[in-house]
Amino acid sequence: MALTLSDEFQRPVVILTGLGIPTAISSAMEAYMFLTDWPKSQRDSVHSFALKACLAAVRGEIEAETAKGIFASWAEKNDILAPNAAAFTGSRRAGSHGTA
């Protein structure tokens, strides 16, 4: 019997989309879908690596946390990683409205 790994991240990666709106990416599948929507003109080898890693996590070939780290590194390289992601995810879990 094969080991089934979840593609869910322990904590989401928070990225800035649209007009700088924080968006939580909670799984390798969500990250994969985001990467497939990324403009082709802005894709590079790091994008390709992140895309492959997320797909591997969805398939259960690597751990979701490995794909998460690669996706977060890609997001940081593209300047869309939320600067205070830890506070954002922590405040959402605690039920706060992030008024720090």
Side-chain angles (χ1 to χ4, degrees), residues 11-98:
R11 289 185 181 204
V13 175
V14 182
I15 58 174
L16 303 175
T17 60
L19 299 172
I21 299 168
T23 302
I25 303 294
S26 301
S27 69
M29 178 56 84
E30 287 180 16
Y32 178 81
M33 291 171 53
F34 185 84
L35 289 164
T36 59
D37 287 340
W38 193 251
K40 290 183 182 180
S41 63
Q42 296 179 22
R43 295 180 186 185
D44 58 9
S45 59
V46 179
H47 176 274
S48 177
F49 186 64
L51 190 70
K52 289 175 185 175
C54 291
L55 184 58
V58 169
R59 292 179 175 167
E61 298 167 355
I62 66 171
E63 293 182 8
E65 291 303 300
T66 301
K68 173 188 171 181
I70 295 167
F71 176 74
S73 293
W74 170 84
E76 184 174 28
K77 178 187 178 289
N78 284 278
D79 207 25
I80 62 168
L81 187 64
N84 198 1
F88 176 77
T89 57
S91 67
R92 285 190 61 206
R93 291 180 59 185
S96 167
H97 289 82

